[in-house]
């Protein structure tokens, strides 16, 4: 008898996921070649009855429907594996799960207070997720994705990016001295590694910040960097809340608008987040919510305010 932990069952299943929705169980290929007549004959109709039994454990059935339900949650990129390789392994996993459940019930673990609480929590989560899925799934259409793409990508001008490096100093005199050394022929990267107070990876890479868009950095830094030409460095220190920057722009480029296929998954995730927030607000608006303080008294409703956005900072 195989023993497989619930965690490893889930992990293995994720690696083995075939696409069983609407597909039948394909039997493993026979060890010997079938007769020619059988080969020429039309293939038998694929079984599709979700109640078809594929295994039993102590008489409890595991059906084709169970297999389909298990496979439906698997990552799409893993659903292309050959079914005759994957299905027996997936069946074995469901058999192991069923065996664990049967033994756990025999030991009355379902009555253990902690287990009971966990089961109730799982049921509550399943109910919550089912409602959210019912609200959100119908909204995730190709038309919605296309509209989001048009709004966030297609209708916006291509963005500019700058590849720059910097040396961060604590005081303006120190920054002025660095500029003086650069004018005297000193190497920018060497000075950055030696003098910069930037504690991030840029210090160990000659102050290199890589490519960034204007909104990726704090305004003072971006305004200076995006106003400079490639191959130049700032002639006066750029002050920010972090200190004084000496910036060198290495390259500039225009980033082309990505194609829909390149950002489709990202847009889908954005829509899911937006639609879930809207669904939660919809649910909250239909119920009465009362908050209590540590003293047990009712806390008056406070107007909702959006948290202040943290300023963009140079990449560390």
């Amino acid at each position: 008898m195989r023993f497989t932990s619930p965690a490893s069952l889930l992990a293995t299943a994720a690696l083995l996921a075939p696409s069983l929705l609407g597909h039948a169980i394909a039997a493993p290929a026979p060890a010997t070649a079938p007769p020619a007549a059988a080969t020429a004959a039309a293939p038998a109709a694929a079984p599709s009855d979700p109640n078809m039994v594929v295994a039993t454990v102590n008489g409890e059935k595991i059906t084709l429907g169970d297999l389909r339900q298990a496979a439906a949650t698997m990552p799409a990129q893993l659903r292309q594996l050959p079914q005759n390789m994957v299905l027996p392994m997936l069946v074995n996993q469901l058999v192991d799960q069923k065996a664990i459940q049967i033994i756990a019930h025999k030991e009355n673990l379902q009555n253990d207070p902690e287990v009971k609480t966990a089961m109730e929590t799982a049921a509550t989560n399943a109910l919550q997720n089912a409602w959210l899925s019912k609200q959100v799934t119908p909204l995730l259409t190709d038309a919605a994705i296309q509209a989001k793409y048009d709004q966030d990508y297609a209708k916006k001008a291509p963005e500019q990016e700058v590849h720059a490096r910097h040396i961060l100093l604590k005081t303006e005199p120190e920054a002025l001295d660095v500029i003086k050394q650069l004018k005297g022929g000193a190497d920018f990267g060497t000075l950055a590694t030696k003098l910069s107070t930037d504690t991030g990876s840029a210090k160990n890479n000659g102050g290199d910040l890589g490519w960034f868009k204007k909104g990726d950095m704090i305004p003072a830094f971006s305004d200076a960097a995006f106003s400079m030409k490639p191959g130049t460095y700032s002639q006066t220190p750029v002050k920010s809340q972090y200190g004084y920057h000496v910036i060198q722009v290495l390259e500039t480029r225009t980033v082309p608008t990505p194609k829909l296929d390149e950002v489709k998954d990202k847009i889908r995730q954005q829509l899911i987040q937006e639609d879930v927030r809207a669904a939660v607000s919809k649910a909250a608006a239909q119920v009465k919510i009362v908050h209590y303080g540590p003293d047990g008294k009712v806390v008056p409703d406070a107007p909702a305010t959006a948290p202040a956005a943290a300023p963009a900072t140079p990449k560390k």
Side-chain angles (χ1 to χ4, degrees):
M1 178 66 184
R2 299 172 307 280
F3 175 78
T4 312
S5 70
S8 62
L9 288 175
L10 294 175
T12 305
L15 294 174
L16 297 176
S19 178
L20 297 182
L21 292 177
H23 294 280
I25 297 179
T32 58
T39 304
S48 58
D49 181 5
N51 296 316
M52 187 185 80
V53 177
V54 298
T56 62
V57 183
N58 270 13
E60 295 191 22
K61 299 176 182 178
I62 297 173
T63 66
L64 176 60
D66 295 327
L67 277 178
R68 288 175 175 168
Q69 184 177 7
T73 61
M74 303 306 172
Q77 67 270 24
L78 300 178
R79 297 178 187 175
Q80 307 304 318
L81 296 176
Q83 291 191 38
N84 61 354
M85 177 186 75
V86 173
L87 291 176
M89 301 179 75
L90 188 56
V91 170
N92 285 340
Q93 290 172 6
L94 293 181
V95 165
D96 287 347
Q97 290 178 357
K98 182 67 71 175
I100 292 172
Q101 293 164 16
I102 289 173
I103 300 304
H105 273 281
K106 282 185 177 180
E107 296 179 2
N108 290 318
L109 283 180
Q110 70 274 17
N111 295 323
D112 179 277
E114 290 187 8
V115 175
K116 192 172 183 179
T117 298
M119 292 174 67
E120 291 172 352
T121 299
T124 300
N125 288 338
L127 182 63
Q128 170 184 294
N129 292 337
W131 186 84
L132 285 173
S133 178
K134 182 179 178 181
Q135 302 299 311
V136 171
T137 301
L139 303 177
L140 297 175
T141 63
D142 289 341
I145 292 174
Q146 181 68 54
K148 184 72 171 175
Y149 171 79
D150 292 341
Q151 173 186 316
D152 291 353
Y153 295 92
K155 294 183 179 179
K156 289 188 175 181
E159 286 193 81
Q160 298 293 316
E161 284 190 339
V162 163
H163 179 198
R165 52 186 179 176
H166 80 140
I167 304 172
L168 179 62
L169 292 310
K170 293 182 178 180
T171 67
E172 185 174 17
E174 289 176 313
L176 288 169
D177 183 64
V178 164
I179 293 173
K180 181 179 179 180
Q181 292 185 59
L182 291 172
K183 290 180 178 180
D187 180 71
F188 193 101
T190 301
L191 291 178
T193 301
K194 180 181 178 181
L195 302 175
S196 182
T197 61
D198 184 346
T199 58
S201 59
K203 176 180 175 64
N204 297 323
N205 196 25
D208 198 333
L209 297 168
W211 289 97
F212 55 87
K213 297 179 176 64
K214 195 165 186 178
D216 294 339
M217 300 295 182
I218 55 177
F221 190 97
S222 283
D223 290 344
F226 278 82
S227 67
M228 296 166 57
K229 294 181 179 180
T232 64
Y233 56 85
S234 49
Q235 298 299 300
T236 57
V238 178
K239 184 180 179 181
S240 77
Q241 61 263 49
Y242 300 101
Y244 292 85
H245 307 264
V246 178
I247 304 169
Q248 183 184 45
V249 171
L250 302 175
E251 304 171 82
T252 61
R253 69 184 180 187
T254 300
V255 181
T257 301
K259 296 179 180 179
L260 176 59
D261 288 344
E262 296 173 351
V263 292
K264 191 171 185 178
D265 290 341
K266 179 180 178 180
I267 291 175
R268 179 179 172 83
Q269 291 304 313
Q270 290 175 333
L271 289 176
I272 289 174
Q273 292 174 7
E274 293 173 5
D275 294 339
V276 165
R277 284 196 295 267
V280 171
S281 296
K282 175 183 175 181
Q286 299 178 61
V287 297
K288 182 179 180 180
I289 301 172
V290 180
H291 293 280
Y292 297 87
D295 57 0
K297 296 181 179 179
V298 174
V299 177
D301 292 336
T305 57
T313 60
K315 300 173 184 175
K316 299 292 185 181

